[in-house]
């Protein structure tokens, strides 16, 4: 066993140790006296010592003043919880002796009797009979004040959060859990508060989890606070929204707030959110509602961005001004005084008022004003203004119908659980026509209309038995046998044992209301003329069906239809005739499709049809053929029988487009292809058609530089006298020599020029060059001939065209009698009303006018006589089949005879064979033109024909 020996120390060493101990004791006493918290030393439950902080806390000057006091001497009789201080102190003392240390809240008082809250840590130093205790006392007055301010701030947040008209959510950025929502959020999403709090943000967002995480990180780091996303509501509807988001600290937790704004209803009023240190400031800045913070005298302290947007003021313009001086429509401040009285009572003001903006324009707003308090004292007013202009307008519209329902009372019927009628009110008897004694004891099925199937009633009873209520529209039959539509609200009433005992039904006759709703729907969504859907509704419906089809991976077919020849009839016979044709055609169109197909008129004579899901392309093509066939029957108007046609284009979702407008556009492209086609009047869209558009676009760009680069040139086809075979004139034709693409046919670039307006300068250039060349042939010594130039309707309708022709003749020196202007029969027919004056002016100059492609349109003798036409040119399609088609033979002979009777010359186009020439000669046709005599030739080659003339 190891032995220990005491070591003797010298006197000096002992003295050093005593000095050290004395220094240590002095240091401990110094710390004790200078501790910031009050310290009391008890022995036998009496104070034996205290530090300086304790004297200050209890308002005593020296330790002896407190010596001998018990804790009860410095405590009120009762603690805040109502328990006696003495009883409670004994319980705490026992706990301290047992556990060694205890911490608790206490209410002390100082020498002046002023009470104050503290937090006490009681430590047992010695557990002998006279227990020695040390109490460390921390004054919590300031802490409590801070907590009170915090609670006040949270209360302000809660008021702003719950009463705000914007949809608001608080989420945990780590878990994506939804932690809090306001009332507007439950209304908007269609979930209850409990359901929303059980969801995560990803349950609402139509996006990938990675995208949501990325946006949350950006919002948390304040890198981005405005996001455009899609949210799904409880009813599965997907909405486009803007989300204002940013970090916020609540109870030490860093969270994210979301202010959700549905951009389909209103535009977001703030583009840049200014995050502030406090949640109150953040909500103020980011709220979509106009907000003003006022002092207690209603002077403006601050406004948010929405306030600036709504009332057009900047803060610098109105700060410190009274709110009534800025917004109130009159100088009377009584309304403001009334509001201040309510707010000063710590009550909320909510009312609809009129307020004016900076320009003096009055706006209907909903005012929500409530006090801002500090320590229970009002320090300001928080005023929000919600623009309710649209709602007020809607309410005004509803007033039109309010009179219909003001005096209607609802029918009430009570039955037992077997459905036997126990009681009805007078309104119910009036509504049904049955007397009270006829109804009592009977079952409501005596009102059954027979319009609803078994499944309808099974669903109703399922809801009643499982949810205790059902409401909806139902058709019933009155005693006199007439049907009426009612809104029925059925629910159960429990007995004292909470068991269902009765059914109660509250019913309203909504037959007339339904008719008015249908009329409102008609006015909003229908075309007044045809009673088909209008363009606005159709696009909205198509977008919805595309969204549904996309979600279910289903296809959709669209048909675009345009009437052929409608403009001709509308312009020549008048709009009344045109309107009657559109109405009649709409009725035919309905017979060609099913009730589930959606038909709309989207333009003058343009119609679209969206076919119900499950309709394949072959069925749609068959429907298109039925529509085309329907035009075989003429449209009768008074004594006239009018014939039209139709061109149809078809596009398919999702093969041809993924959105409504593109789908319509592609069907339109296919329709125009059908219209321009000489074959089928029905075309299905293909990328090739789009490619054609791209090619046309490329040609259009090239065409804009063609004149500058002298790429256009003229050639001429001789027109000869039928008898002498001498050249009497030429038809001027334009060609385009592109440096890369080579020769481009006018059939390609002239339609483009007519669409983009370039036909005006190109046509003027052709006319000038043709006149100049004709004059040159004359100056070269050749006998004069006429030059025929094709003129576009766009040129004829352009301002000052006749002056342009006159100027060209003067510049080139060509006499008017040697110039002929050609217009097609279609142009002549469809635009005569617009171009008649121009053609008359040209006639008066001595210039001849000829009708090209005669026989392809619908000219009448009366129309030909309205203008001094000199020539008719028979279309080559009639000449080519002059021997093989007896109808063409008769038609050509008839045209020549008619022209002769009107003293008109005839030019036959497309003459390629001697037999054709002989037939035309025998029938006294004036002039011939075609490959039999010459292909289109250059100006130099034309000289050879002119030389032959001289020899002959």
């Amino acid at each position: 066993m190891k032995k220990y020996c005491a070591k003797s120390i010298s006197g000096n060493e002992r003295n050093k140790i005593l000095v050290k101990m004395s220094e240590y004791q002095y240091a401990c006493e110094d710390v004790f006296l200078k501790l910031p918290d009050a310290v009391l030393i008890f022995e036998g439950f009496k104070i034996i010592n205290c530090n300086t902080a304790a004297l200050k806390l209890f308002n005593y000057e020296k330790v002896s003043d407190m010596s001998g006091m018990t804790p009860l001497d410095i405590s009120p009789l009762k603690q805040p919880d109502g328990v006696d201080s003495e009883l409670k102190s004994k319980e705490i003392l026992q706990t301290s002796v047992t556990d060694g240390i205890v911490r608790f809240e206490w209410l002390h008082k100082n020498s002046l009797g002023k009470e104050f809250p503290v937090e006490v840590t009681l430590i047992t130093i010695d557990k002998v009979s006279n227990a020695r205790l040390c109490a460390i006392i921390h004054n919590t007055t300031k802490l409590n004040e801070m907590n009170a301010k915090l609670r006040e701030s949270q209360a302000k947040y809660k008021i702003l959060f719950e009463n705000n008209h914007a949809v608001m959510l608080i989420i945990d950025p780590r878990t994506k859990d939804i932690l809090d929502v306001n009332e507007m959020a439950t209304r908007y999403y269609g979930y209850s508060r409990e359901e929303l709090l059980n969801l995560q943000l990803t349950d609402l967002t139509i996006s990938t989890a990675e995208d949501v995480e990325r946006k949350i990180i950006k919002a948390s780091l304040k890198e981005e606070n405005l996001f455009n996303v899609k949210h799904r509501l409880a009813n599965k509807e997907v909405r486009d929204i803007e989300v204002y988001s940013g970090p916020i600290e609540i109870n030490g937790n860093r969270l994210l707030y979301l202010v959700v704004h549905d951009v389909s209803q209103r535009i977001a009023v703030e583009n840049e959110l200014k995050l502030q240190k406090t949640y109150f400031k953040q909500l103020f800045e980011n709220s979509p509602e106009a907000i003003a913070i006022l002092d207690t005298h209603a002077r403006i302290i601050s406004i948010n961005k929405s306030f600036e947007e709504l009332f057009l003021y900047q803060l610098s313009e109105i700060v410190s001004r009274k709110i009534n001086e800025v917004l109130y429509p009159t100088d009377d401040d009584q309304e403001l005084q009334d509001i201040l009285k309510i707010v000063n009572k710590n009550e909320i003001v909510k009312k609809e008022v009129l307020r004016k903006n900076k320009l003096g324009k009055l706006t209907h707003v909903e005012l929500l004003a409530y006090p801002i308090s500090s320590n229970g004292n009002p320090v300001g007013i928080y005023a929000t203004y919600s623009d309710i202009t649209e709602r007020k307008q809607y309410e005004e519209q509803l007033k039109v119908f309010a009179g219909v329902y003001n005096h209607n009372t609802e029918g009430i019927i009570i039955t037992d659980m077997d459905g036997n009628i126990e009681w009805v009110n007078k309104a119910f008897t009036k509504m049904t026509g049955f007397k009270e004694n006829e109804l009592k004891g009977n079952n409501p099925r005596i009102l059954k209309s027979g319009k609803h199937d078994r499944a309808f009633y099974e669903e109703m009873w399922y809801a009643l038995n499982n949810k205790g209520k059902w409401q909806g529209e139902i058709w019933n039959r009155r005693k006199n046998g007439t049907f009426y539509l009612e809104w029925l609200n059925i629910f159960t009433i429990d007995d004292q044992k909470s068991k269902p005992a009765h059914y109660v039904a509250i019913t309203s006759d909504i037959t007339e209301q339904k008719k008015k709703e249908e009329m409102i729907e008609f006015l909003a969504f229908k075309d007044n003329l045809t009673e088909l859907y209008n363009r606005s509704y159709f696009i909205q419906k198509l977008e919805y069906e595309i969204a549904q089809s996309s979600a279910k991976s289903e296809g959709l077919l669209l048909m675009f239809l345009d009437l052929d020849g409608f403009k001709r009839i509308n312009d020549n016979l008048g709009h009344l005739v045109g309107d009657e044709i559109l109405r009649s055609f709409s009725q035919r169109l309905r017979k060609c499709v099913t009730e589930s197909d959606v038909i709309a008129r989207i333009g003058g004579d343009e119609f679209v049809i969206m076919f119900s899901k499950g309709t394949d392309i072959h069925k749609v093509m068959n429907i298109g053929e039925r529509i085309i066939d329907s035009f075989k029957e003429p449209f009768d108007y008074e004594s006239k029988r009018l014939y039209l046609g139709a061109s149809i284009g078809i596009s398919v979702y999702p093969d041809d487009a993924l959105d409504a407008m593109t789908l319509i556009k592609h069907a339109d492209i296919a329709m125009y292809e059908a219209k321009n086609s000489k074959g089928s009047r029905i075309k299905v869209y293909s990328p090739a058609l789009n490619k054609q558009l791209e090619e046309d676009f490329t040609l259009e760009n090239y065409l804009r530089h063609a004149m500058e680069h002298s790429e256009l040139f003229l050639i001429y086809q001789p027109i000869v006298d039928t008898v002498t075979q001498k050249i009497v004139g030429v038809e001027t034709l334009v060609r385009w020599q592109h440096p890369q693409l080579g020769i481009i046919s006018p059939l390609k670039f002239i339609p483009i020029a007519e669409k983009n307006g370039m036909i005006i300068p190109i046509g003027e250039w052709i006319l000038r060059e043709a006149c100049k060349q004709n004059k040159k042939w004359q100056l070269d010594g050749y006998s004069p001939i006429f030059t025929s130039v094709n003129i576009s309707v766009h040129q004829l309708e352009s301002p000052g065209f006749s002056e342009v022709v006159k100027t060209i003749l003067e510049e080139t020196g060509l006499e008017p009698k040697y110039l002929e202007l050609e217009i097609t029969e279609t142009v002549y027919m469809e635009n005569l009303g617009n171009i008649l004056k121009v053609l008359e002016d040209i006639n008066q100059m001595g210039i001849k006018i000829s009708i090209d492609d005669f026989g392809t349109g619908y000219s009448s003798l009366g129309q030909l006589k309205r203008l001094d036409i000199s020539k008719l040119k028979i279309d080559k399609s009639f000449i080519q089949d002059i021997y093989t088609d007896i109808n063409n033979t008769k038609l050509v002979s008839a045209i020549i005879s008619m022209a002769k009777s009107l003293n008109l010359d005839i030019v036959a186009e497309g003459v390629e064979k001697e037999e054709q020439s002989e037939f035309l000669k025998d029938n006294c046709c004036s002039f011939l033109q075609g490959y039999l005599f010459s292909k289109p030739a250059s100006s130099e080659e034309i000289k050879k024909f002119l030389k032959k003339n001289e020899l002959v």
Side-chain angles (χ1 to χ4, degrees):
M1 181 175 182
K2 190 173 181 180
K3 295 182 179 180
Y4 294 90
C5 299
K7 181 181 178 181
S8 61
I9 58 175
S10 64
N12 287 336
E13 289 176 337
R14 183 181 299 109
N15 289 338
K16 289 180 180 179
I17 292 173
L18 291 174
V19 169
K20 289 288 185 183
M21 291 177 64
S22 174
E23 290 175 352
Y24 177 74
Q25 181 178 358
Y26 176 78
C28 289
E29 290 176 354
D30 187 56
V31 170
F32 169 74
L33 292 173
K34 293 181 177 178
L35 277 174
D37 286 335
V39 181
L40 301 177
I41 306 296
F42 294 91
E43 188 173 306
F45 212 53
K46 292 184 179 181
I47 297 172
I48 63 171
N49 198 3
C50 65
N51 66 352
T52 305
L55 293 175
K56 184 177 180 181
L57 180 64
F58 291 98
N59 198 35
Y60 290 100
E61 294 183 358
K62 50 187 181 295
V63 175
S64 59
D65 292 339
M66 296 191 70
S67 294
M69 287 184 178
T70 70
L72 299 177
D73 294 328
I74 54 176
S75 302
L77 293 177
K78 291 184 180 295
Q79 290 299 305
D81 57 3
V83 179
D84 289 342
S85 296
E86 181 177 3
L87 180 61
K88 195 167 187 176
S89 65
K90 288 180 180 180
E91 293 176 357
I92 294 171
L93 179 63
Q94 183 62 43
T95 303
S96 175
V97 172
T98 303
D99 298 341
I101 184 169
V102 63
R103 182 175 286 109
F104 57 94
E105 293 182 354
W106 193 259
L107 187 65
H108 271 308
K109 66 178 180 178
N110 61 17
S111 62
L112 300 177
K114 182 179 179 181
E115 298 176 357
F116 52 90
V118 297
E119 183 183 74
V120 180
T121 303
L122 188 62
I123 304 169
T124 302
I125 302 173
D126 187 358
K127 296 184 179 181
V128 295
S129 57
N130 285 339
R132 180 169 291 184
L133 304 172
C134 174
I136 303 172
I137 302 170
H138 178 69
N139 189 346
T140 61
T141 301
K142 292 184 178 180
L143 178 61
N144 289 348
E145 290 176 353
M146 291 174 61
N147 287 335
K149 290 181 179 179
L150 178 60
R151 287 193 294 273
E152 181 182 344
S153 175
Q154 290 174 339
K156 291 178 182 176
Y157 145 68
K158 201 64 178 177
I159 291 173
L160 180 60
F161 187 74
E162 290 298 338
N163 291 288
N164 206 292
H165 293 282
V167 176
M168 300 181 122
L169 304 93
I170 303 296
I171 67 163
D172 187 330
R174 295 168 299 168
T175 64
K176 321 298 183 300
D177 290 339
I178 299 174
L179 304 181
D180 199 3
V181 298
N182 66 353
E183 177 66 20
M184 287 303 296
T186 62
R187 292 184 190 177
Y188 179 71
Y189 288 105
Y191 292 104
S192 67
R193 178 182 174 84
E194 291 71 22
E195 288 172 328
L196 276 173
L197 296 182
N198 285 325
L199 296 178
Q200 292 185 323
L201 182 60
T202 50
D203 296 324
L204 301 178
T205 307
I206 309 301
S207 186
T208 63
E210 293 78 9
D211 188 49
V212 174
E213 179 68 23
R214 179 178 58 80
K215 287 182 170 64
I216 286 177
I217 291 172
K218 286 193 173 184
S220 299
L221 297 176
K222 303 182 183 180
E223 292 178 355
E224 190 174 347
N225 52 26
L226 177 61
F227 304 96
N228 290 301
V229 296
K230 292 181 182 291
H231 273 194
R232 182 185 289 114
L233 310 185
N235 62 3
K236 307 304 180 184
E237 182 181 0
V238 176
R239 305 287 288 178
D240 289 306
I241 63 170
E242 283 184 350
V243 177
Y244 296 88
S245 181
I248 182 171
E249 190 169 307
I250 300 178
N251 296 330
N253 297 317
R254 190 171 178 83
L255 308 176
L256 276 181
Y257 70 88
L258 276 67
V259 180
V260 176
H261 184 202
D262 191 321
V263 297
S264 63
Q265 298 179 359
R266 60 187 296 177
I267 300 172
V269 294
E270 294 187 356
N271 296 323
E272 183 179 3
L273 303 175
K274 297 181 180 179
L275 298 178
Q276 303 295 327
K277 294 181 179 179
T278 65
Y279 192 23
F280 175 84
K281 186 64 176 177
Q282 290 168 338
L283 292 177
F284 168 76
E285 288 295 336
N286 298 317
S287 173
E289 305 299 334
I291 302 174
I293 297 179
L294 316 175
D295 64 14
T296 54
H297 299 290
R299 288 188 291 263
I300 297 170
I301 297 173
S302 183
I303 59 175
N304 68 351
K305 289 285 185 182
S306 296
F307 187 99
E308 295 176 357
E309 294 284 346
L310 182 58
F311 298 113
L312 307 180
Y313 284 105
Q314 298 294 318
L315 178 60
S316 59
E317 298 177 284
I318 57 175
V319 68
S320 298
R321 290 178 62 187
K322 295 188 73 172
I323 193 70
N324 61 321
E325 297 173 358
V326 176
L327 299 184
Y328 282 35
T330 66
D331 295 333
D332 184 9
D333 68 346
Q334 186 58 49
E335 181 189 349
L336 176 61
Q337 296 305 320
D338 294 340
I339 292 173
L340 290 177
K341 286 179 183 178
I342 297 173
V343 173
N344 288 334
K345 293 178 183 178
N346 276 331
E347 296 178 6
I348 294 175
V349 175
K350 185 176 182 180
K351 60 188 300 188
E352 294 180 4
V353 294
L354 275 173
R355 293 293 183 258
K356 66 177 181 179
N357 65 14
K358 183 178 179 180
L359 302 178
K361 180 183 177 182
L362 295 178
T363 302
H364 284 281
V365 296
E366 183 177 76
L367 167 66
L368 181 65
Y370 46 90
I372 303 173
S373 302
S374 178
N375 296 325
N377 299 316
V379 296
I381 302 170
Y382 197 87
T384 68
Y385 301 88
S386 303
D387 188 346
I388 58 172
T389 303
E390 290 185 7
R391 193 185 83 194
K392 295 298 287 186
Q393 291 173 348
Y394 181 67
E395 289 173 353
E396 286 299 319
Q397 292 175 353
L398 291 181
K399 287 180 181 179
V400 177
F401 306 103
V404 180
Y405 313 112
N406 280 341
H407 304 293
N408 284 2
T409 56
E410 295 180 321
I412 302 175
I413 176 174
I414 301 176
T415 74
D416 60 21
M417 293 307 292
D418 294 323
N420 299 312
I421 299 174
E422 297 176 325
W423 182 87
V424 296
N425 68 349
K426 290 182 180 180
F428 190 83
T429 61
K430 183 178 180 181
M431 183 186 303
T432 62
F434 287 97
K435 295 179 181 179
E436 185 177 352
N437 60 357
E438 294 175 313
L439 291 167
K440 281 188 176 181
N442 268 313
N443 191 286
R445 69 172 63 97
I446 65 172
L447 304 171
K448 193 172 181 180
S449 67
K451 289 193 172 189
H452 301 289
D453 57 16
R454 184 177 179 180
F456 175 85
Y457 292 102
E458 287 178 349
E459 182 182 345
M460 176 195 295
W461 283 107
Y462 178 83
L464 280 171
N465 293 331
N466 290 274
K467 299 180 181 179
K469 61 181 179 180
W470 181 88
Q471 63 178 6
E473 295 179 358
I474 185 170
W475 282 99
N476 275 334
R477 180 167 51 192
R478 296 185 176 91
K479 183 180 178 180
N480 62 9
T482 60
F483 296 106
Y484 68 99
L485 181 65
E486 65 178 3
W487 178 259
L488 184 61
N489 184 6
I490 312 176
F491 53 92
T492 58
I493 295 180
D494 294 344
D495 59 17
Q496 294 179 346
K497 296 180 181 180
S498 299
K499 291 184 177 181
H502 302 277
Y503 290 114
V504 177
I506 301 175
T507 176
S508 302
D509 185 345
I510 61 170
T511 309
E512 290 302 318
Q513 176 186 345
K514 204 67 177 176
K515 290 179 181 178
K516 288 177 173 59
E517 288 176 355
E518 289 173 355
M519 177 56 69
I520 292 174
E521 179 182 352
F522 176 84
L523 294 175
F525 301 132
K526 295 292 183 72
D527 172 51
N528 290 336
L529 179 63
T530 62
E531 298 187 4
L532 300 175
Y533 288 112
N534 59 24
R535 179 185 182 88
S536 175
Y537 173 81
F538 184 83
I539 292 174
Q540 179 182 341
K541 178 69 173 173
L542 181 57
E543 289 173 342
Y544 173 79
E545 291 299 333
I546 285 176
Q548 295 295 308
S549 299
S550 175
K552 298 178 182 179
S553 300
E554 295 176 337
L556 201 66
L557 285 97
L558 184 77
M559 178 182 288
F560 196 108
L561 186 148
D562 183 82
L563 301 185
D564 297 335
F566 176 78
K567 186 177 187 301
R568 167 177 51 81
I569 293 174
N570 202 42
D571 289 348
N572 288 278
L573 300 181
H575 293 292
L576 291 178
V577 179
D579 289 349
E580 185 58 36
I581 287 177
L582 291 174
R583 277 191 289 265
S584 179
F585 171 68
S586 299
Q587 294 171 3
R588 294 188 189 183
L589 195 57
R590 285 191 180 97
K591 295 177 182 178
C592 296
V593 299
T594 66
E595 290 185 0
S596 58
D597 300 327
V598 181
I599 316 173
R601 176 181 174 229
I602 63 171
D605 59 344
E606 294 178 334
F607 299 81
V608 285
I609 306 173
M610 178 175 61
F611 292 95
S612 56
K613 296 181 178 67
T615 307
D616 60 30
I617 187 67
H618 301 292
K619 186 175 181 180
V620 172
M621 292 291 286
N622 289 335
I623 292 171
E625 292 294 344
R626 287 207 301 271
I627 295 172
I628 296 294
D629 289 343
S630 72
F631 284 93
K632 293 179 180 178
E633 182 70 22
F635 293 89
D636 295 328
Y637 183 79
E638 295 179 350
S639 60
K640 299 179 178 65
R641 307 201 79 191
L642 306 172
Y643 290 88
L644 290 91
S647 299
I648 294 174
I650 299 171
S651 60
V652 182
Y653 170 87
D655 299 348
D656 300 330
L658 298 177
D659 63 273
M661 297 309 295
T662 307
L663 197 64
I664 294 173
K665 172 187 172 184
H666 287 173
D668 189 13
I669 292 172
M671 183 277 294
Y672 271 105
E673 177 65 15
K675 188 179 287 289
N676 295 328
S677 171
K678 294 184 179 179
S680 172
R681 307 305 291 171
I682 304 174
K683 291 290 184 181
V684 179
Y685 174 80
S686 67
L689 298 180
N690 218 24
K691 184 179 179 182
Q692 182 61 51
L693 282 181
E694 293 175 0
E695 290 178 358
D696 289 349
F697 180 74
T698 302
L699 282 181
E700 181 177 351
N701 287 333
Y702 286 148
L703 187 59
R704 295 185 185 279
H705 304 289
M707 288 180 61
E708 301 173 13
H709 300 157
S710 301
E711 295 173 6
L712 300 180
F713 65 94
L714 300 182
I715 55 177
Y716 310 88
Q717 187 168 32
I719 299 172
V720 302
D721 184 282
T722 306
V723 177
T724 66
Q725 302 287 295
K726 290 177 63 176
I727 181 171
V728 293
V730 292
E731 179 180 0
T732 304
L733 304 169
V734 65
R735 296 292 184 266
W736 179 9
Q737 175 71 55
H738 189 272
Q740 284 83 39
L741 303 178
I743 297 293
I744 300 174
S745 168
L747 295 177
K748 283 190 174 183
F749 70 83
I750 290 298
I752 294 173
E754 289 183 325
K755 286 181 181 178
N756 64 16
M758 289 189 65
I759 192 65
I760 305 299
I762 291 176
E764 185 176 335
W765 177 85
I766 294 172
L767 185 60
R768 178 176 280 103
E769 291 301 311
C771 291
K772 188 189 297 182
Q773 181 59 57
N774 196 348
K775 183 64 177 177
K776 186 174 187 304
W777 285 327
Q778 293 178 19
L779 294 175
D780 287 343
Y782 299 108
S783 298
I785 62 173
F786 67 85
T787 294
S788 180
V789 179
N790 292 281
I791 299 299
S792 164
V793 65
H794 300 284
Q795 291 175 267
L796 294 170
E797 291 180 341
S798 64
F801 175 71
S802 55
E803 288 299 318
V804 170
V805 176
K806 182 179 179 182
T807 301
I808 289 174
L809 290 175
E810 291 174 351
E811 289 177 354
T812 59
L814 184 68
E815 294 181 56
K817 63 182 179 180
Y818 297 123
L819 175 63
E820 286 188 6
L821 299 184
E822 289 186 20
I823 57 175
T824 65
E825 184 183 19
T826 304
V827 168
Y828 178 72
M829 274 291 300
E830 296 185 356
N831 302 276
L832 185 58
N834 299 331
I835 64 175
L836 183 59
K837 180 63 171 64
V838 178
L839 294 178
E840 288 175 347
D841 291 344
I842 291 172
N843 266 148
Q844 290 175 3
M845 291 183 204
I847 299 170
K848 295 179 180 179
I849 296 173
S850 61
I851 303 298
D852 195 13
D853 299 334
F854 189 78
T856 60
Y858 300 89
S859 297
S860 66
L861 291 176
Q863 288 169 319
L864 291 174
K865 289 163 67 176
R866 291 179 66 184
L867 192 65
D868 188 10
I869 302 296
S870 63
K871 236 176 241 173
L872 299 180
K873 298 187 76 173
I874 303 175
D875 188 69
K876 64 181 179 181
S877 61
F878 301 112
I879 304 301
Q880 289 172 350
D881 301 327
I882 205 168
Y883 285 111
T884 59
D885 189 336
I886 188 64
N887 292 326
N888 278 0
T889 304
K890 292 179 180 180
L891 181 61
V892 171
S893 298
I895 292 173
I896 295 173
S897 297
M898 179 195 71
K900 291 299 182 182
S901 68
L902 295 174
N903 293 320
L904 299 178
D905 287 331
I906 288 289
V907 179
E909 295 182 300
V911 180
E912 298 179 356
K913 300 176 181 178
E914 286 290 348
E915 295 86 348
Q916 295 168 341
S917 176
E918 288 301 319
F919 172 85
L920 294 166
K921 181 179 179 181
D922 292 343
N923 282 272
C924 300
C925 179
S926 310
F927 305 107
L928 307 176
Q929 179 181 347
Y931 280 15
L932 179 62
F933 309 103
S934 174
K935 294 181 179 180
S938 67
S939 59
E940 289 300 316
E941 290 173 319
I942 294 298
K943 286 183 179 181
K944 296 177 183 178
F945 290 95
L946 297 175
K947 287 178 181 178
K948 289 181 181 179
N949 278 3
E950 299 299 328
L951 294 175
V952 175

